[in-house]
Amino acid sequence: MELLVFIALLLVLVGILAYHRASLTLFTAAIGGLLVLGSFFGTVGLVGWILFAAVALPLNIASIRQQHITKPLLKLYRKIMPEMSTTEKEAIDAGTTWWEGDLFRGNPDWHKLHNFPKPRLSAEEQAFLDGPVETVLRMVDDWHVTHERTDLSPEVYAYLKDQGFFAMIIKKQYGGLEFSAYAQSCVLQKLTSKSMVLSSTVGVPNSLGPGELLQHYGTKEQQDYYLPRLAKGLEVPCFALTSPEAGSDAGAIPDFGVVCKGEWEGKEIVGMRLTWNKRYITLAPIATVLGLAFKLQDPDNLLGDKEDLGITCALIPVSTAGVKIGRRHFPLNVPFQNGPTQGQDVFVPLDYIIGGPAMAGQGWRMLVECLSVGRAITLPSNSTGGIKSVALATGAYARIRRQFKLPIGKMEGVEEIMARIGGYAYMSDASTTMSVGSIDLGEKPSVISAITKYHMTERMRQAIIDAMDVHGGKGICMGPNNYLARGYQGAPVAITVEGANILTRNMIIYGQGAIRCHPYVLAELQAAQLEDERAAVTAFDRALFGHIGFSISNFFRTFWLSLTNSAFSHAPVQDETAKYYKQMNRFSSALALMSDIAMATLGGDLKRRERISARLGDILSMLYITSSILKRYNDEGRQVQDLPLVQWGCEDNLYRAQLALDELFDNFPNRAVGILFKRVVFPFGRSLRRPSDQVEHQVARIMQTPCEARSRLGTHLYLTDEPNNLLGQLEKALTDILAAEPLFDKVMHAANKKLPFYRLNEVAELGLSLGVLSQAEAEKLRVAEVGRLKTINVDDFDPIDMMADKSLLESDAKAAVQAA
Ligand SMILES: Cc1cc2nc3c(=O)[nH]c(=O)nc-3n(C[C@H](O)[C@H](O)[C@H](O)COP(=O)(O)OP(=O)(O)OC[C@H]3O[C@@H](n4cnc5c(N)ncnc54)[C@H](O)[C@@H]3O)c2cc1C
């Protein structure tokens, strides 16, 4: 056997073994077998065997390996790994990993994805959506709420409290609704389709706040007292973490409490003297109980020997002497209740700490644990409800509005923008449903919640900007007939809250994902922290060599998948979507490979190289969103009508994943590594393209044509045609216009005319006079004209009505008289 042939065989063997993630023993046995073959043909001599023994023996004999390889490497590792702050450790420890872990590990099992149960509503949850949710939607007029009253009406608040809207997460034993995360998501989506103020007001008490914290960490007394009161709406909660000095860096809050003795209800007790200045607190102006985060100090060691106890959460009734609350901020013309609160040396008992004095200093862990769930529900659901509403509204408007004698939705330039809205609507629903579904399976998905929060709110912002462009002046002129402008104004609210998006993309998604999802990194970190040296070496050895095998495997897998454009990799289906699964195999493997390369070359510096971290996080996010699209398609019975929406979503996300990888290589701090791995991952350059014009045309068609695919796009929206529901009216107008078009054509044909498609009431009279229309058909044209005018017209106002401060009229008049 020629030496070159032998080397080639060796490489192929190593590649196959690595691709299939073979164990070290199998590796050693297989290479040993090849050496025997080589010796038989005279290619391998004594030198070859000595080399093999020199590598194989220390690797396979644990005692030698641990003493001579692992121990020195552990020493080095301890030196170069940066210290983790307590808040970082607690953030890493909070929550669980789920499907994103499989994507991160480079070899996703698609059958596992398909087998996750599809979230479903119980009969009780469905009845709530059909009953109380629709009733409260009928009670709300968004223009009245956002412009005239700048608040929900007292009747709406009373109804929300009475029907348990603020208690969707509270257990039944306390009188709450105890809805699944999926049901909460559906309720929020439906509320958003009419009023963002309504969905924000309902979303917050069901997200991170006193209810959630009490259920997880409250003492029995606290639970028995507060939870039934919260469930009945006797208490309105808010939660105050953010202060003027600490927004994103919430762990740095300057608000503090000092454990001390003081007088409480006539007796001397050990309590806390609290001082805080908080802002941006949702529901604070109308709250009755204030959840407060502060740093607790115990200078006199009244609780123990620790002086700085750390972040602590307490529940303070707002009636407590010294609590200042009630003023409002004005968040972007979407005036849900939000405002500041202050307190100076407010003395309260230690029992006010959530979970009692034993939980002093545990506040940060409590918050990040609850946030990993809440962040996946409220903002993604509100955003998804918003995008879906915008998709249906834009589809209807683009079909009804004509310019250059054509519906604007038939123009290619408009189709491009509409396709993005439609694609986002399908994928947002898919991702949100899959994420809330994971919560119902018992997960606390901290990485997924960050991905879903960031990407759904970003897509919502883009969708509403796109919708404004398609609507032109109709979107810009505000008034009771404008269904877009409040969403456009309010989009940055969702971007900013619960982890502002720049921070979420650059620090949280990958920062948490890399450690939590990686099969070995956390184990290495934990092993290095063990105090028993023998246990540390054994644990580090297991993690380290597992890690090395994992990295070698990812290298060969990535190279092979890239070289073959994933043509031979596994997909669970054989239809048009198979190629997307295959491409994801490739990108998943490349992500696993480049994660290890980034960690190995940058070490602790990766945390500061935010843009590298952001791009790796983008790849993970795109894989997560793409798999949610494919799961949705599968869960809904692979409806071929939906295929353009699936194609658009998969192609857009995979294209973005490719871009993120390419930019990662081009900006990799170690240039040689960047250039080398670009060749491994893109041996023939970038192969994926954005969705084609044809696919975009098909998506735009779905959005403008009532059909099953369009109805699926609008599930869980409030589309009833009634006086103050603009979305419902628009849907009706679309159906009426489509019914009128053949009648219009019939009249034009009979009259031998080519009139523009307006004044349909006059066309109706012409049709009747020519005898080509029945009375019923003429009526259809008249009805369509009413809907058409309602759709294209905008509001106008008496200039005096537009003035917020009418007293200016008087002073202006006086000034005019004086001037005269
Ligand atoms: C309407 C509204 C409602 C809210 N409701 C509540 C509530 O109920 N309770 C509560 O406690 N808080 C609430 N908040 C606070 C909210 O969570 C904070 O606004 C948020 O954490 C961001 O803080 P900040 O606005 O001070 O921005 P800053 O922290 O000043 O950040 C400014 C910008 O810098 C970016 N940034 C910061 N650090 C980094 C980094 N390391 N890397 C990259 N980018 C970074 C951020 O992403 C952001 O874009 C609310 C805020 C708003 C506006």
Side-chain angles (χ1 to χ4, degrees), residues 773-786:
L773 290 184
S774 67
Q775 280 297 343
E777 287 172 327
E779 185 57 17
K780 279 188 182 170
L781 280 169
R782 290 187 205 109
V783 168
E785 179 64 3
V786 173

Side-chain angles (χ1 to χ4, degrees), residues 295-351:
K295 286 188 174 155
L296 189 60
Q297 299 151 12
D298 183 13
D300 300 330
N301 297 116
L302 295 172
L303 292 183
D305 50 10
K306 217 169 150 190
E307 290 190 8
D308 281 324
L309 293 165
I311 294 180
T312 301
C313 298
L315 284 186
I316 319 289
V318 300
S319 55
T320 309
V323 176
K324 278 197 207 154
I325 205 157
R327 290 186 65 78
R328 291 182 68 178
H329 297 305
F330 193 1
L332 286 168
N333 278 322
V334 185
F336 57 90
Q337 291 284 346
N338 183 280
T341 169
Q342 297 89 17
Q344 179 82 39
D345 290 330
V346 177
F347 185 76
V348 296
L350 287 172
D351 290 349

Side-chain angles (χ1 to χ4, degrees), residues 111-133:
H111 294 292
K112 181 174 164 187
L113 174 76
H114 284 186
N115 288 337
F116 288 130
K118 179 185 173 192
R120 286 178 204 285
L121 295 170
S122 68
E124 186 192 348
E125 292 164 345
Q126 184 65 58
F128 189 80
L129 274 165
D130 297 340
V133 173

Side-chain angles (χ1 to χ4, degrees), residues 347-565:
F347 185 76
V348 296
L350 287 172
D351 290 349
Y352 280 14
I353 296 175
I354 299 176
M359 293 300 273
Q362 299 297 312
W364 189 254
R365 183 173 62 83
M366 288 156 62
L367 292 176
V368 286
E369 274 175 8
C370 289
L371 198 60
S372 62
V373 172
R375 192 161 39 195
I377 305 176
T378 309
L379 290 167
S381 304
N382 288 356
S383 301
T384 297
I387 303 173
K388 284 157 63 175
S389 307
V390 157
L392 258 55
T394 308
Y397 182 80
R399 185 67 182 77
I400 296 169
R401 172 71 173 161
R402 288 175 182 240
Q403 290 294 285
F404 305 100
K405 297 187 181 141
L406 265 183
I408 56 167
K410 293 200 170 169
M411 293 156 188
E412 281 198 2
V414 178
E415 279 184 347
E416 179 188 357
I417 308 301
M418 289 182 67
R420 185 158 56 208
I421 303 174
Y424 283 179
Y426 189 89
M427 76 173 74
S428 299
D429 202 339
S431 292
T432 301
T433 302
M434 187 157 116
S435 303
V436 296
S438 77
I439 295 169
D440 290 333
L441 292 175
E443 302 294 337
K444 287 185 177 171
S446 54
V447 181
I448 287 178
S449 63
I451 292 176
T452 317
K453 188 273 166 175
Y454 174 82
H455 286 281
M456 298 314 109
T457 54
E458 287 293 337
R459 277 155 172 69
M460 181 268 298
R461 173 158 67 177
Q462 184 61 54
I464 191 84
I465 291 172
D466 285 342
M468 291 291 282
D469 290 354
V470 173
H471 280 74
K474 168 78 184 176
I476 289 162
C477 291
M478 300 198 60
N481 269 312
N482 187 318
Y483 44 87
L484 282 182
R486 291 300 188 216
Y488 176 76
Q489 287 181 314
V493 175
I495 301 289
T496 301
V497 300
E498 290 190 6
N501 274 8
I502 301 177
L503 169 92
T504 302
R505 174 174 176 247
N506 286 271
M507 279 190 78
I508 301 181
I509 295 177
Y510 190 76
Q512 294 211 6
I515 298 181
R516 297 192 57 80
C517 299
H518 196 286
Y520 300 105
V521 164
L522 191 55
E524 285 164 352
L525 277 170
Q526 286 165 344
Q529 282 161 7
L530 290 177
E531 282 176 16
D532 176 346
E533 195 56 16
R534 260 182 84 149
V537 171
T538 312
F540 191 71
D541 179 74
R542 201 176 315 120
L544 178 71
F545 281 92
H547 194 161
I548 293 170
F550 176 72
S551 303
I552 294 172
S553 167
N554 288 329
F555 176 82
F556 280 99
R557 284 181 61 79
T558 304
F559 188 54
W560 173 250
L561 291 170
S562 300
L563 209 59
T564 57
N565 200 20

Side-chain angles (χ1 to χ4, degrees), residues 204 208 238-250 278-284 329 331 336 338 492-504 506-507 610:
V204 168
L208 177 67
C238 68
F239 191 81
L241 171 65
T242 305
S243 77
E245 304 305 336
S248 301
D249 189 8
K278 304 286 191 183
R279 66 176 182 184
Y280 304 154
I281 310 307
T282 302
L283 293 190
H329 297 305
F336 57 90
N338 183 280
V493 175
I495 301 289
T496 301
V497 300
E498 290 190 6
N501 274 8
I502 301 177
L503 169 92
T504 302
N506 286 271
M507 279 190 78
E610 289 192 346

